[in-house]
Amino acid sequence: MSFEFAELDFDCMGCAMRIVVEGGDDPHGAARAGEALLHEADRVLTRFDERSELCRLNADPRTAVPASRLLRDAVAAALTAARHSGGLVDPTLLTALEDAGYRESRRGTVSAPLAGALTMAPERRPAAASPARAWQRIIVGAKTIARPPGLRLDLGGSAKGFAADLTAQVIGRSHPDRFYVDCAGDIAIGGCGREPYSVAVEHPATGQIALELSISRGGVATSGIDRRWWRDGAGAPQHHLLDPSTGSPAWTGLAGVTAVAPSAAEAETLAKQALLSGPHMAAAILAVHGGVLLGEAGEVQAIALPEPRPSVRLSELEALVR
Amino acid sequence: MATTDRRRRPDPAPRVRPGWVYGTTFAGFLGAGALIGTQMAAGHDPALGAGTPAQKHASAQPAVVVKRIEKRVVKTRIVKHVRYRDVQPSAAAAATPQPSAPAPTRTYVQKAQTYSPPAPAPAPAPAPSQPTTRSS
């Protein structure tokens, strides 16, 4: 059955985003409302614009800073991610991230093939939570956000999934038959109908479609080290997923992890947690809702998926049965 | 002395008069014709046989006459003789360099057609893109 649908592709949060709304009261209006909301979230939550509310919060010398509901909800989502991941998805690593070289937005930057980074990466080992657990000192109140002055926040690890879920709520009010909000790979799927979307999983190491997941409702997200990696002054590869215990990029043996969850924010958290935990712990982390482990050599391992449907590419099929 | 055995011939059968034969035959013919004519007049044509029971039943049914009025609509297609003159160049064509000499005016005449082929099936409706999850 086909419905009138709206599809919007646009750049936001330094990434390519897409909203698809099928059926419902006003699919085009719902899609435009979703786009406006994502741009608003970008203006509030970006760390690359000193005028954003997040940057003003980070620069504010007060302990408790009045904050908008959008910022408070986003910080609350980041704290939830930190709590559920045992501190692996840590929103307080901004200083370490800047020290690693990620100071400016990488909007429009195309990273080199991941193979070049993997050959020069240090020994693989799982990441661990920061002993300081600074994120536990952040308190989101009714009107304010309280934290030790000088403790700066980076919501890059959770903002896209949070924004996707928030946009999905807005779009869902128009009662579409089905829709999805794709925030650079962190996807929220919903709707009144039951026809699922076939979500393709792109392998970070090969750039090809490794699997297709059939999802009618919930979230799916992929965390990987291929999109944002660079070399420091000494030529050593760096990327944006830091080991909280060291403040350095985490090289765990996985190139990426795709997680399925009831929401995009949860999926994003699970994907990052599994990636940072390494291949041995990742399967257990994904066991609840399912996911896919994407190895550095192109391996594909489906975890707890009822019917993983491999694509027709022979190379991926061989990797799947390996 | 020679003897002669002359047997007496039997008496010949009494001779039937031809007129009698002809009269009897003609009378029989008339009788058979009268019988057949009587039966056919009663609707029992011996050449058609006795007929099937269904035919007998059908013949017993009262005849129903259905009058169907068929409206015949004659569609008249107006066939235009479309003549294109001085075709306006498209934007892409306008962007391409044109020769300095004026191009001759092209005239296309579409001949009258009494039959138009059925319109091609409409193209399938565009489907929305399927999502792809990738590291961001």
Side-chain angles (χ1 to χ4, degrees), chain A residues 5 7 180 184-185 198 200 202 222 224 226-227, chain B residues 125-136:
Chain A
F5 71 93
E7 179 172 339
Y180 70 86
S198 180
E202 184 181 294
T222 297
D226 60 317
R227 292 278 172 177
Chain B
S129 304
Q130 294 293 310
T132 299
T133 180
R134 60 177 67 86
S135 53
S136 56

mmCIF file of all heavy atoms in Angstrom, chain A residues 5 7 180 184-185 198 200 202 222 224 226-227, chain B residues 125-136:
data_model
loop_
_atom_site.group_PDB
_atom_site.id
_atom_site.type_symbol
_atom_site.label_atom_id
_atom_site.label_comp_id
_atom_site.label_asym_id
_atom_site.label_seq_id
_atom_site.Cartn_x
_atom_site.Cartn_y
_atom_site.Cartn_z
ATOM 1 N N PHE A 5 3.786 10.718 0.618
ATOM 2 C CA PHE A 5 4.905 10.787 1.538
ATOM 3 C C PHE A 5 5.712 12.047 1.276
ATOM 4 O O PHE A 5 5.621 12.670 0.212
ATOM 5 C CB PHE A 5 5.804 9.547 1.410
ATOM 6 C CG PHE A 5 6.607 9.482 0.149
ATOM 7 C CD1 PHE A 5 7.898 9.984 0.101
ATOM 8 C CD2 PHE A 5 6.081 8.929 -1.004
ATOM 9 C CE1 PHE A 5 8.650 9.927 -1.059
ATOM 10 C CE2 PHE A 5 6.812 8.872 -2.171
ATOM 11 C CZ PHE A 5 8.097 9.371 -2.202
ATOM 12 N N GLU A 7 9.748 13.521 1.823
ATOM 13 C CA GLU A 7 11.132 13.130 2.097
ATOM 14 C C GLU A 7 11.996 14.375 2.035
ATOM 15 O O GLU A 7 12.024 15.067 1.015
ATOM 16 C CB GLU A 7 11.596 12.084 1.092
ATOM 17 C CG GLU A 7 13.042 11.648 1.300
ATOM 18 C CD GLU A 7 13.430 10.459 0.423
ATOM 19 O OE1 GLU A 7 12.518 9.748 -0.019
ATOM 20 O OE2 GLU A 7 14.632 10.270 0.192
ATOM 21 N N TYR A 180 10.481 7.796 9.383
ATOM 22 C CA TYR A 180 11.758 7.661 10.085
ATOM 23 C C TYR A 180 12.499 8.982 10.049
ATOM 24 O O TYR A 180 12.306 9.808 9.148
ATOM 25 C CB TYR A 180 12.624 6.532 9.518
ATOM 26 C CG TYR A 180 13.213 6.719 8.161
ATOM 27 C CD1 TYR A 180 14.422 7.385 7.973
ATOM 28 C CD2 TYR A 180 12.597 6.200 7.044
ATOM 29 C CE1 TYR A 180 14.982 7.534 6.718
ATOM 30 C CE2 TYR A 180 13.148 6.335 5.776
ATOM 31 C CZ TYR A 180 14.339 6.999 5.617
ATOM 32 O OH TYR A 180 14.896 7.147 4.377
ATOM 33 N N ALA A 184 22.046 11.284 10.642
ATOM 34 C CA ALA A 184 23.390 10.805 10.313
ATOM 35 C C ALA A 184 23.621 9.373 10.772
ATOM 36 O O ALA A 184 24.662 9.035 11.319
ATOM 37 C CB ALA A 184 24.445 11.728 10.917
ATOM 38 N N GLY A 185 22.640 8.541 10.545
ATOM 39 C CA GLY A 185 22.800 7.138 10.883
ATOM 40 C C GLY A 185 22.133 6.726 12.169
ATOM 41 O O GLY A 185 21.952 5.525 12.405
ATOM 42 N N SER A 198 13.303 -1.410 5.761
ATOM 43 C CA SER A 198 14.490 -2.221 5.604
ATOM 44 C C SER A 198 15.696 -1.312 5.788
ATOM 45 O O SER A 198 16.001 -0.491 4.923
ATOM 46 C CB SER A 198 14.514 -2.873 4.216
ATOM 47 O OG SER A 198 15.673 -3.662 4.081
ATOM 48 N N ALA A 200 19.416 -0.543 5.988
ATOM 49 C CA ALA A 200 20.706 -1.060 5.543
ATOM 50 C C ALA A 200 21.788 -0.657 6.536
ATOM 51 O O ALA A 200 21.793 0.456 7.056
ATOM 52 C CB ALA A 200 21.041 -0.524 4.152
ATOM 53 N N GLU A 202 25.641 -0.025 6.934
ATOM 54 C CA GLU A 202 26.874 0.218 6.183
ATOM 55 C C GLU A 202 28.075 -0.146 7.032
ATOM 56 O O GLU A 202 28.191 0.292 8.180
ATOM 57 C CB GLU A 202 26.940 1.686 5.755
ATOM 58 C CG GLU A 202 28.146 2.017 4.889
ATOM 59 C CD GLU A 202 28.172 3.482 4.513
ATOM 60 O OE1 GLU A 202 27.279 3.926 3.781
ATOM 61 O OE2 GLU A 202 29.088 4.196 4.972
ATOM 62 N N THR A 222 24.354 3.375 14.571
ATOM 63 C CA THR A 222 25.671 2.799 14.324
ATOM 64 C C THR A 222 26.730 3.751 14.850
ATOM 65 O O THR A 222 26.663 4.957 14.607
ATOM 66 C CB THR A 222 25.901 2.543 12.830
ATOM 67 O OG1 THR A 222 24.943 1.587 12.369
ATOM 68 C CG2 THR A 222 27.296 2.002 12.569
ATOM 69 N N GLY A 224 30.857 4.215 14.834
ATOM 70 C CA GLY A 224 32.054 3.713 14.175
ATOM 71 C C GLY A 224 33.165 4.729 14.216
ATOM 72 O O GLY A 224 32.976 5.893 14.593
ATOM 73 N N ASP A 226 35.145 5.351 11.499
ATOM 74 C CA ASP A 226 35.601 5.648 10.150
ATOM 75 C C ASP A 226 35.294 7.076 9.727
ATOM 76 O O ASP A 226 36.018 7.653 8.925
ATOM 77 C CB ASP A 226 34.945 4.675 9.156
ATOM 78 C CG ASP A 226 33.427 4.774 9.173
ATOM 79 O OD1 ASP A 226 32.865 4.857 10.274
ATOM 80 O OD2 ASP A 226 32.814 4.770 8.096
ATOM 81 N N ARG A 227 34.224 7.661 10.208
ATOM 82 C CA ARG A 227 33.764 8.952 9.688
ATOM 83 C C ARG A 227 34.617 10.127 10.176
ATOM 84 O O ARG A 227 34.774 11.111 9.474
ATOM 85 C CB ARG A 227 32.320 9.179 10.100
ATOM 86 C CG ARG A 227 31.345 8.246 9.437
ATOM 87 C CD ARG A 227 30.979 8.724 8.066
ATOM 88 N NE ARG A 227 30.179 7.728 7.356
ATOM 89 C CZ ARG A 227 29.678 7.914 6.148
ATOM 90 N NH1 ARG A 227 29.904 9.038 5.516
ATOM 91 N NH2 ARG A 227 28.989 6.970 5.555
ATOM 92 N N ALA B 125 4.554 4.826 -8.782
ATOM 93 C CA ALA B 125 4.728 5.962 -7.889
ATOM 94 C C ALA B 125 6.101 5.893 -7.225
ATOM 95 O O ALA B 125 6.569 4.810 -6.868
ATOM 96 C CB ALA B 125 3.642 5.955 -6.826
ATOM 97 N N PRO B 126 6.761 7.014 -7.081
ATOM 98 C CA PRO B 126 8.074 6.976 -6.436
ATOM 99 C C PRO B 126 7.943 6.526 -4.996
ATOM 100 O O PRO B 126 6.989 6.876 -4.298
ATOM 101 C CB PRO B 126 8.544 8.431 -6.541
ATOM 102 C CG PRO B 126 7.290 9.231 -6.702
ATOM 103 C CD PRO B 126 6.339 8.363 -7.461
ATOM 104 N N ALA B 127 8.888 5.760 -4.600
ATOM 105 C CA ALA B 127 8.876 5.242 -3.233
ATOM 106 C C ALA B 127 9.898 6.013 -2.417
ATOM 107 O O ALA B 127 10.919 6.457 -2.943
ATOM 108 C CB ALA B 127 9.209 3.754 -3.223
ATOM 109 N N PRO B 128 9.638 6.170 -1.144
ATOM 110 C CA PRO B 128 10.620 6.875 -0.322
ATOM 111 C C PRO B 128 11.893 6.065 -0.163
ATOM 112 O O PRO B 128 11.891 4.842 -0.287
ATOM 113 C CB PRO B 128 9.890 7.040 1.014
ATOM 114 C CG PRO B 128 8.871 5.957 1.031
ATOM 115 C CD PRO B 128 8.450 5.764 -0.391
ATOM 116 N N SER B 129 12.959 6.770 0.098
ATOM 117 C CA SER B 129 14.242 6.100 0.279
ATOM 118 C C SER B 129 14.222 5.260 1.546
ATOM 119 O O SER B 129 13.610 5.630 2.538
ATOM 120 C CB SER B 129 15.366 7.130 0.363
ATOM 121 O OG SER B 129 15.360 7.953 -0.789
ATOM 122 N N GLN B 130 14.894 4.159 1.477
ATOM 123 C CA GLN B 130 15.028 3.315 2.653
ATOM 124 C C GLN B 130 16.200 3.841 3.501
ATOM 125 O O GLN B 130 17.176 4.352 2.960
ATOM 126 C CB GLN B 130 15.277 1.867 2.260
ATOM 127 C CG GLN B 130 14.089 1.225 1.555
ATOM 128 C CD GLN B 130 12.884 1.048 2.467
ATOM 129 O OE1 GLN B 130 12.991 0.522 3.555
ATOM 130 N NE2 GLN B 130 11.728 1.512 1.998
ATOM 131 N N PRO B 131 16.077 3.720 4.806
ATOM 132 C CA PRO B 131 17.142 4.287 5.649
ATOM 133 C C PRO B 131 18.401 3.437 5.643
ATOM 134 O O PRO B 131 18.360 2.228 5.418
ATOM 135 C CB PRO B 131 16.491 4.306 7.035
ATOM 136 C CG PRO B 131 15.475 3.209 6.994
ATOM 137 C CD PRO B 131 14.972 3.161 5.577
ATOM 138 N N THR B 132 19.484 4.090 5.903
ATOM 139 C CA THR B 132 20.781 3.438 6.037
ATOM 140 C C THR B 132 21.436 3.947 7.313
ATOM 141 O O THR B 132 21.535 5.152 7.533
ATOM 142 C CB THR B 132 21.700 3.746 4.851
ATOM 143 O OG1 THR B 132 21.099 3.254 3.657
ATOM 144 C CG2 THR B 132 23.064 3.098 5.025
ATOM 145 N N THR B 133 21.831 3.006 8.148
ATOM 146 C CA THR B 133 22.528 3.415 9.358
ATOM 147 C C THR B 133 24.028 3.278 9.133
ATOM 148 O O THR B 133 24.514 2.280 8.596
ATOM 149 C CB THR B 133 22.085 2.575 10.576
ATOM 150 O OG1 THR B 133 22.804 3.016 11.732
ATOM 151 C CG2 THR B 133 22.321 1.092 10.356
ATOM 152 N N ARG B 134 24.716 4.310 9.502
ATOM 153 C CA ARG B 134 26.165 4.356 9.321
ATOM 154 C C ARG B 134 26.748 5.128 10.490
ATOM 155 O O ARG B 134 26.045 5.844 11.186
ATOM 156 C CB ARG B 134 26.528 5.036 8.017
ATOM 157 C CG ARG B 134 26.032 6.467 7.924
ATOM 158 C CD ARG B 134 26.476 7.132 6.640
ATOM 159 N NE ARG B 134 25.845 6.539 5.477
ATOM 160 C CZ ARG B 134 24.644 6.902 5.019
ATOM 161 N NH1 ARG B 134 23.942 7.832 5.638
ATOM 162 N NH2 ARG B 134 24.130 6.340 3.968
ATOM 163 N N SER B 135 28.016 4.944 10.676
ATOM 164 C CA SER B 135 28.653 5.680 11.754
ATOM 165 C C SER B 135 28.650 7.162 11.410
ATOM 166 O O SER B 135 28.844 7.551 10.262
ATOM 167 C CB SER B 135 30.067 5.179 11.983
ATOM 168 O OG SER B 135 30.789 5.206 10.769
ATOM 169 N N SER B 136 28.424 7.965 12.442
ATOM 170 C CA SER B 136 28.332 9.408 12.206
ATOM 171 C C SER B 136 29.521 10.128 12.830
ATOM 172 O O SER B 136 30.290 9.555 13.574
ATOM 173 C CB SER B 136 27.049 9.956 12.829
ATOM 174 O OG SER B 136 27.015 9.640 14.201
#
